Amino acid sequence: MVGKKHFLGTHITLVIVLLIVLFPLFWVFTTSIRRDNAAFSTELISSRLTLQHYKELLFKPKNLPALISDMKQAANISKQYKDWDEDRIERAISGFINQFSHNLLKTEEALNRTDADIGQLEQFYAQKSQETMDTFLSALPQLEKDYELYGRQRLNELDPIGSILLDAKIIDHISTQGFASEVLPLLATRFPELSEAHAFSLNEVNKSLERARGELASLFSSAKLTEETRLSLSNSIDAFETIARAPGFSYTKWLREISIKLYNPLNGTFSSSTEGELPQRWEAFKEAQKSIAREIESDLKTLDQTLKTVAETVNEKKAREVDYYLNAWQTHAEELAELQKTLKQNKERELSTRIEQEALDNDLALLRSQLSVQMTLQEKALGIIETYLAQPDKTSTDKLLLERWNTFYQETGNLLESIQQIEMSDGELVKSGLLPVKESLSKIRDHQDRLRQLSGYSAIDDAIQVYQNTFPVLKTALEDIRQTIESQSKAGSVLVDIAFESDVIEKAIAYRNEEIGALSTKIAFLQNRILESNRDFDFFFLQSTLKNARDWKGISLFSQRSVQYLSLYPQELRGPVNTPDQSIDHLNQLRTLIDSFGDQKESVYATTGLLEADVKAFEERSPLYISLRKKGSQIKILELEEIETHYTQAAADFSSSLNRTGRRSSDLSKIDFFLPVKGALRNIDKSIFELMQYWDKKPEQFFMLWLLNSMIIAIVTSFITVAVCSFGAYPYSRMRFPGRKNGLLLLVLLQMFPSIMSMVALYSLLRFTGMLFPFLGLDTQGGIIFIYLGALPFNMWLLKGYFDTIPNEIEESALIDGATRFQTFYKIVLPLSTPILAVVFILCFMSTFNEFVLARIMLQSPQNYTFAVGLQSFSNGPYQMEWGLFTAAALIGAIPMVVVFLFMQKYLVGGLTSGAVKG
Amino acid sequence: MLFIRKTLFWILLILANAFLLWSSIILFNASMEGLAISLVILLFIVDFAFLHPKGYPYRYALPALGLLLVLTVFPIYFTLKTAFTNYGTGHLLTRQQVIESLLKEYVTDESAEPYDYRVFMRLENLNPTDDFLLVLERSNVLYIAEKPFVTQRDSKGNVISAYSSFTPVKNDQALLGDRTYTLIRSKQDPERILSVNAMGPKGTYSYAFFFSFEDAATLPNQKYFISEIFTAYLEKADFVDSEEKVLRFGTRFGFRKLLESRKKYGLDTITVDQNGKVSQKVVFVNNLTNRTLEESDGNFYDINRDGSRTIVGGYSSFVGLNNILEMFTDSRLSTPFMKIFGWTLTWAALSVFFTFTVGLALALLLNNPRLRSRALYRTLLIIPWAIPSFISVLVWRHGFFNETYGFINKFIVSGLMGFEPIRWLNNDFWAKVSCLIVNTWLGFPYMMTVSLGALQSIPYTFYEAASIDGAGRGLRFRKITLPLLMTSIAPLLVGSFAFNFNNFVGIYLLTNGGPEMPNSITNAGSTDILISYTYKLAFEGSRGQNFGYASAITLFIFLLVIAISSVNFKLSGTFEEVNR
């Protein structure tokens, strides 16, 4: 601000920010005028524009399906037509019929326009195709020479492997797909004998077929036959020729396809003929055909034999030189994969076993600690016993005691045995902490006899008791230790096995890797050769196609094959093959477009004709139907059902294909090649789009109704709110009364309650008032206006603030002059507060218009929705992707609000900040 | 003149009192006590306003206060009350209503012999009307049944129950209600009844034979019969005779025949021993199985043969602080609740932060009086605020953030930058990001406007003095602009925080609450704020609507917002204004 002279940076920043911020608006606008569905298009902005969406929203024109359903409703006298009298219904129906015919007329007009454009396209096509063909044909000789040269070069360059591969490919192709014409030149070069055999066999087949035709001719000449019979017999010979030339011909096939299918039905005609020799002639004819078929079969079989022998030789060579290595490589690779898998599994097992071992170690440690506890007890007892050892004898006579001691010594013996067993299986007594136990127990056993002599001393007995008490724990602990040690040794052996296995596997892997390594260069070489031989084969194939490229069809085929070839092989291997002229492809597309339109046009004309006739029939009989219906009869209206069937058929027939044509023509219009006819193409797109608007089913929407609802509700609510609030705010500003201070605070606090949750309460409130006053119930506009009147406190606050700024003196002087309080209010204060009233009105208007939640809950039928609810339901419904309609509606709804806002922003900003900025 | 005015005044006052009193009584009867209390308060205010000399100001405030009481106080009371109940799916009716509906349930005896019927219709100019009667027949005994009278309709106007009576016919004559019916038979075929004559105080009418399932000749009338008569009157009707036998249309024969039926539940009194006190209690008894229904937790349970319980009716009952406790203790409810609460705070704070930053930045740029076309820039930049927010949010949601077709994914993320399409609305983090983006876009014009206003109130001289003393632009901003700005803007920021705290539209329309949180028994989403969560609980519960719990959360929100607003008012000195 200080000293800033250049604002270029500021301007640039602001412009960028503006572009980003206003982009959504821009997007909404462009989407609403697009013809295609923006959701599925890859273009940001489309050049196919239409105002159709706006038309639909604002004017809701009725197209054919809508009219059909209207006519049905009227003729069936349902819904609103129930109370109409006959004349009125009839007039309505004739109105619908007129619109219907009008729509049909428009359809035909659009179609005619398109037809004219198609004519233009035809001309363009004819001209361009001639040009392209001329260009191609002029370049053809050179091209043929280049191909020839390259082909011969390739054949000369073939090394043994390449040669084998090429031959194998040729034979393979012939074996699976027969002696196709494209393969014959190559066959002649590589397998001259086979080629000769084939030529010979072909010749023979031709001769046989000639004979067959000859037989037929003689049959014709010698007998009087109907036209029909002649035709079917000619067809049979044609069929014979077709199957004879196709691969896989056999006598049984001839029997099945020709003799049984085509000749048997004619047997009747011939055998019942009156002409003397005809039946025999017929039999003779059939016999001749049979023998010819058999001949052809044998010829072809010979050829087959030759082919087989050649194939054998070739394949055997290939197996030796090529397949052998490839298979070996394959096997090694597979084995390697297997081995690696097993290795991985082994590693996992090893890991888990190691984890087990660790766990067992932990267990042992636990058990050791258990033992040590017992050990302390035993030591104490042992200590006591040893002090008594030196005492004089005192034997006890207690039988029980002696028995007990016997059991004790037995148990001691058992325990020592168990320890011994463990010791034998695993010398690691130290590890398991059993050594001290063994020692202590051994000591007791050793003192056995001496102790008997001291059995009288109770202390000894106690000590023995203590010992005995440790035994249960010892027993279980010993058992556990034994098991743990067993498991550990098992785990140990498992680990050893795994290590051994892994070793073996690794050795095998190393071996496989070596083998693969050794083969790798050979394999690389072979694969390279295979690629080359494939490419060579394809090239020769292509070359023979070139030979037929003399007319448009041949040229198209050649260019298609070229494209395929180019897509398969990289730049270096292409040889003389070049990208074909794109115009060929373009012209083919144009051809499809023109042809498909021809079909669709027929279908549309047919449908419109049918529908016109149907509608006329309906028109004639509608008065009759109406009067019958009025009398209560439930008679079916056939004409309407006809109309509906025809419409549905048509919709299925041509709607999607016409749309496709339209899209195609717009796609073509973007290609430079079609620049001269760009206008025609775009017109076609446009006309088809317009045409389809009459036929496509449109979603039911009430946007204008919704907008109207919103406006009405918002305006009424605002008026009432302004009135009530100004009345309510006045005393808080001007008068002192009990409950003023707290009332204001309460008001402000009440405003804070989230209105969303008052929904349940308000819902039941509206339901209740709806029972008393129908216009104030659920799903009515009165009801929702009533609900919206709850947003008072904030507005009252604003108004009070403003009233406070109006000086009291004016009113006081008015009061002195004899005005009542109320008169000062509405004659002085209100006029002075017009600015703030306007602000409150607009704020209220805007917030009511934008309010969505309460409206969604209270309004249930689509006709009663406000704009907010309607737009949301529309955007989430089955028309979620109909962005054109949605954005057009959004724009229409947004514009009034934006305009109002922009005009009033002065007031609004002033009103808001005057409340906020203190001082 | 004055006299007329005074009388008019008193008449109107009395009428108003009467109306309010009468309405509150009706409301009390309809068990809407909250509304009734509001009206009673309104009554007091009206009287105070017009009768007490000090109540004069209240006359002005009356309409406002009235509307407030009904539309704001009543919902608050209602929410308060509901927060302590289990009002919701399965517990929508009051106990009395459930009892009534249970007593109305019928079971038809499918094994008994059915009644055939024929419809006789009064015609007007050969057109059928809606005045008809039925002739029933079973075991060769004929009965006359009159047209059922609809006793209850539901909110859409469909029939819930209807009532009719029937009586046997003797010698082709019957007396029912206040009319005498005579059967007219055909002379050629005495089995056929041609019509029925009804003689009564309103006159004599003739009912012609209209329809019967056995008579193929009447088939054309079947459509009319089914649509106009059966569904409108007969389907839910009880036909009762003088011995309290009830006939209804059952499931076995559908609309072809009537079957005897009886009430499924009856009342019985049993003696219970409650803590030493002996008392009588009225319970339900299932008439078919003779078992008593249990009642607990706001539900009535019937016991099946294998001992398991099924709910036959639930009513809203008082559960005390259960809802509030559950909110914090039940981990299935409290985890989502805490997460949502956390996000609500974050969301409000971040929204304020972003909108304020962007708004302030733009205001600083625009604050130069020497900048050309300032007004144009300002007008254009206000547009996001002007467009109704629901439109903008919907456009952003479908046109920009749609994963596959949205503009951002198609052209910027995948097109320009070549990343994988961002799953805007299906990923927790990105959904939150998208909410913030949209809210910033919607809210920055407001911040920009108020910042502009506030910036203009800072005297220019401050900046001059500072720059003379050598302060650079950054220092001037930090030490002069920001502090002075904050004093005036702070209330607005807090206000904006409170607004965004409850910004339902911005969240709900954009993400519907966002990708669902897993492991949540209520459909909580990761971009849900408290208010949208409550809305979903109350109105969209796929597992049932739980108004009780929703109301508890609402109270919680209410208290929070009051706290925030108190802070706001302290800052803006509103409290002093009130005291003025």
Side-chain angles (χ1 to χ4, degrees), chain B residues 93 96-105 265 312:
Chain B
L93 306 170
Q96 189 58 32
Q97 287 169 323
V98 173
I99 292 179
E100 277 175 21
S101 79
L102 280 179
L103 284 176
K104 279 214 200 78
E105 266 192 49
Y265 299 104
V312 292

Side-chain angles (χ1 to χ4, degrees), chain B residues 403-533:
Chain B
E403 260 175 58
T404 347
Y405 307 114
F407 175 79
I408 296 187
N409 266 359
K410 236 195 325 189
F411 291 105
I412 299 187
V413 174
S414 296
L416 219 54
M417 302 203 264
F419 295 142
E420 287 274 315
I422 299 179
R423 311 194 70 219
W424 284 109
L425 301 178
N426 284 328
N427 175 303
D428 288 0
F429 173 70
W430 288 109
K432 295 183 183 170
V433 167
S434 65
C435 287
L436 282 172
I437 292 179
V438 175
N439 209 24
T440 315
W441 188 84
L442 285 173
F444 84 85
Y446 171 71
M447 284 295 178
M448 182 183 80
T449 318
V450 293
S451 303
L452 261 180
L455 279 177
Q456 283 170 355
S457 72
I458 302 178
Y460 172 69
T461 48
F462 286 8
Y463 292 110
E464 265 193 346
S467 88
I468 289 175
D469 285 342
R473 269 203 286 190
L475 203 62
R476 286 205 300 264
F477 176 74
R478 276 200 334 265
K479 297 284 183 188
I480 301 180
T481 320
L482 265 187
L484 287 177
L485 205 60
M486 277 307 158
T487 54
S488 36
I489 297 285
L492 289 176
L493 290 181
V494 180
S496 171
F497 182 85
F499 170 72
N500 278 316
F501 194 83
N502 278 346
N503 189 357
F504 182 80
V505 166
I507 295 281
Y508 185 77
L509 278 184
L510 187 63
T511 58
N512 260 38
E516 261 206 40
M517 273 192 219
N519 316 324
S520 159
I521 53 170
T522 54
N523 39 351
S526 21
T527 50
D528 257 330
I529 52 177
L530 280 177
I531 193 88
S532 67
Y533 181 52

Side-chain angles (χ1 to χ4, degrees), chain A residues 10 115 119 415 517 600:
Chain A
T10 321
D115 220 9
L415 281 174
Q600 291 148 10

